[in-house]
Structures are given as structure tokens and as C-alpha cells.
Amino acid sequence: MNLYVRNLQELQRFPTVISNIFVGIILCNAKENSILVIQESDKQHSRFPGGGVEASDDYKGILSDLKQKGLLRDIGGFLNTLKHAAKRELKEELALDIDEAQLTFVCGLLTEDQEGEGRHLKVFFKYPLPENFVPSLDVPSVEAERLIDFHFIKTTYDPARQFLHLDPFLLLSRDHFYALLQGAKNGKL
């Protein structure tokens, strides 16, 4: 079962044990009306930059409460934890240093862990790409060996048909496409 989360406050209404938390960052080039996706050598689908939230990202032990007890007691602290993880992931994957204050929550997605050990929480943020940023496989980054390509894709959303068009078409991870669609439907992208 997948559960769409429109805002972080909704997480407080669904107490559940979270086994893993991931962040995805939708990097937007407003001038070109496009977003950046990455392709990894070990994956079939393209995805947004991002990854798992680590213990070093934790703000005041919030993650341990959420993972062990299913309780989210401090939304602001949780948001800070997620933003810190997003900043770290962008630095690791793209050697891009960002201002956490410019990260905007788009949506979240609770998915069942296939092993039945809880749920995964995937939280997606929007971030405006600096005009001078050009992704490169030659820039040293922690995860450079896994990254094989970057794509800028243009997105067009037709609200009457609730249809999201990607140009050029590519295989985008299901959860990442869903986040993009929800962000477009809710006017967050």
C-alpha cells in the first residue's frame, strides 16, 4: 500500500514504524522549464538526486523515535533533518553545495517495505538550480563512479486530463514520477 503525504503534518496522523527514510531533490531550471534527473550504472530508471537519510543527519534524535516508535514529535526538527540529508546528498552526487533554506517540500510517499519490516518514507523537495550549474561526470564527487548520465527533461502538466508529459521521454523511477505528478497537480512545481 502506498500513501501520499501532502504535508509533513500528515505524518503525525499516521503513526507507523518507518524502516528507512529517503530524500529526493527535484532540481528545477526555471528559465528552461526543466528538471535534472540522473542515471546510475546499476539502475534501469532515471531518478532525482538524493538518497537515504543517515544517522549523522539526525536532529535531536528524531529519526530514532520515528524508526523505533512510529512517533513524529517535532515537525520542524524533522524537516531540518531531511533538509540536511538533501544538502549532503547533492554534495555527494553532484558536488553541488546548496542553501537548505531554499528547499521546498513537494510531497512524501509512504510505501510498504517488501520484507514486511515497516514502511519506507520518501520525501521530495524542490530546489532552484543555479543558472550557471552544468552537471558533469568529470566533477569529483563521492558517488561519481555510479553516475553515468544526466538529463534535463521538460515537463508539461495538463490539469484537465491530469496528464504529465516528459520531454524527452525516459524511464523515471515510479515513485519519482509520482512525486513529480503530485507536485505538478498541487502547483508546487
Side-chain angles (χ1 to χ4, degrees):
M1 174 181 80
N2 291 343
L3 180 63
Y4 170 62
V5 179
R6 292 180 299 261
N7 57 61
L8 291 177
Q9 288 76 14
E10 285 186 342
L11 286 175
Q12 290 182 306
R13 295 187 211 141
F14 304 107
T16 185
V17 173
I18 304 292
S19 56
N20 288 301
I21 304 169
F22 303 91
V23 292
I25 305 93
I26 303 170
L27 294 169
C28 299
N29 180 331
K31 186 176 179 181
E32 300 290 326
N33 193 28
S34 63
I35 59 171
L36 177 71
V37 294
I38 61 176
Q39 181 68 50
E40 294 175 297
S41 58
D42 59 341
K43 305 277 193 256
Q44 288 182 309
H45 299 91
S46 295
R47 65 172 179 84
F48 303 127
V53 177
E54 298 176 356
S56 62
D57 301 316
D58 200 357
Y59 179 81
K60 297 183 180 178
I62 291 169
L63 295 181
S64 59
D65 278 355
L66 190 57
K67 288 184 173 186
Q68 294 170 9
K69 303 173 189 170
L71 298 174
L72 183 55
R73 56 183 162 77
D74 180 0
I75 293 289
F78 184 58
L79 186 60
N80 287 339
T81 296
L82 297 174
K83 287 182 173 187
H84 182 75
K87 179 176 181 154
R88 178 186 47 74
E89 285 291 338
L90 287 174
K91 187 75 168 171
E92 288 176 4
E93 292 183 356
L94 301 173
L96 177 63
D97 196 19
I98 66 163
D99 175 8
E100 292 176 33
Q102 291 188 40
L103 285 164
T104 305
F105 177 84
V106 173
C107 70
L109 188 63
L110 275 170
T111 61
E112 292 292 331
D113 182 336
Q114 293 183 358
E115 288 79 39
E117 298 176 10
R119 291 185 172 175
H120 295 296
L121 174 61
K122 298 172 183 177
V123 178
F124 295 91
F125 292 97
K126 172 186 172 182
Y127 189 82
L129 265 176
E131 285 188 33
N132 62 346
F133 179 75
V134 177
S136 171
L137 295 173
D138 298 328
V139 175
S141 70
V142 174
E143 299 187 19
E145 70 280 353
R146 290 182 31 225
L147 302 178
I148 60 171
D149 206 356
F150 301 99
H151 303 280
F152 277 100
I153 58 174
K154 293 188 183 282
T155 61
T156 308
Y157 178 66
D158 178 352
R161 295 179 24 214
Q162 294 190 355
F163 181 79
L164 181 65
H165 177 74
L166 306 179
D167 183 28
F169 176 78
L170 53 79
L171 291 175
L172 188 61
S173 163
R174 180 192 68 201
D175 293 342
H176 291 229
F177 179 82
Y178 186 73
L180 193 58
L181 177 62
Q182 292 303 321
K185 284 171 68 171
N186 296 323
K188 294 182 179 180
L189 295 177

